Structure formats: structure tokens, C-alpha cells
Amino acid sequence: MFDKPYYSAFTEEFSSFILINQISKIYLCGVETDSCIFQTAIDSFERGIEPVVIEDACFSDGGQIAHDAAIFLLKRNIGKNQIQMTDEVIKKMS
């Protein structure tokens, strides 16, 4: 577990963990699609780490409109194939 004092998960500790373990892809799900998930996905993409946002495993306290807006922008910024549903991810992993 990593403490995250701001929107992105990419703290110094988390970034070091990713680097040391040579992680090239991360799967994102959780609360606040329009802030925390969004910023972590962008930061991951900019670091050359492939982000996959599991759309139906994310939620926004701002409601469905905020969630949908974040998903729309993520599709434009990191690529529509990086936004997937839980069943798609499970199928690819099995």
C-alpha cells in the first residue's frame, strides 16, 4: 500500500516501486474517475507505463456526468483501447 496525498498515485515511493519492479502496465480502478484515476492514468502514460482504466470499476463522487467526461477525455488522451471493462480485462488475463 502507498499513501497518496494528492490526485496522482505517482508519489516518489510509488514511482520507485514501479521502476525497481520494471512494471510496464498498470490497471486502474477506484473512486474519483475525474480526478485521481484521470491524473494517475495521464501520469502513467507520460512515463511510458501503459495505463488501462477499468471503466466499470471506477466511480466519481461528482456523478455519472463527471465519470463519463473523464472517460471521454482519457479515450482522447491515452487512447480508446486503454479504457476497458472488467470482463474484457479478466478475459485477457485468463
Side-chain angles (χ1 to χ4, degrees), residues 4-92:
K4 184 181 78 62
Y6 41 85
Y7 292 142
S8 179
F10 278 91
T11 62
E12 187 175 325
E13 182 183 11
F14 183 71
S15 296
S16 293
F17 176 84
I18 294 288
L19 183 64
I20 289 166
N21 292 285
Q22 300 178 348
I23 295 170
S24 61
K25 179 188 264 189
I26 61 172
Y27 292 87
L28 301 170
C29 63
V31 181
E32 301 306 348
T33 316
D34 56 312
S35 56
C36 299
I37 298 296
F38 181 87
Q39 191 61 52
T40 300
I42 296 296
D43 287 351
S44 177
F45 180 81
E46 289 180 342
R47 286 170 168 79
I49 301 159
E50 181 184 355
V52 176
V53 175
I54 306 172
E55 182 177 355
D56 60 338
C58 294
F59 169 81
S60 178
D61 191 45
Q64 192 65 41
I65 292 171
H67 170 81
D68 291 344
I71 294 298
F72 175 80
L73 289 172
L74 284 168
K75 286 179 180 178
R76 291 194 65 221
N77 288 294
I78 65 172
K80 65 181 181 179
N81 293 330
Q82 301 314 115
I83 311 302
Q84 299 176 14
M85 296 296 191
T86 303
D87 60 338
E88 295 174 85
V89 172
I90 291 170
K91 185 176 179 180
K92 289 177 183 176

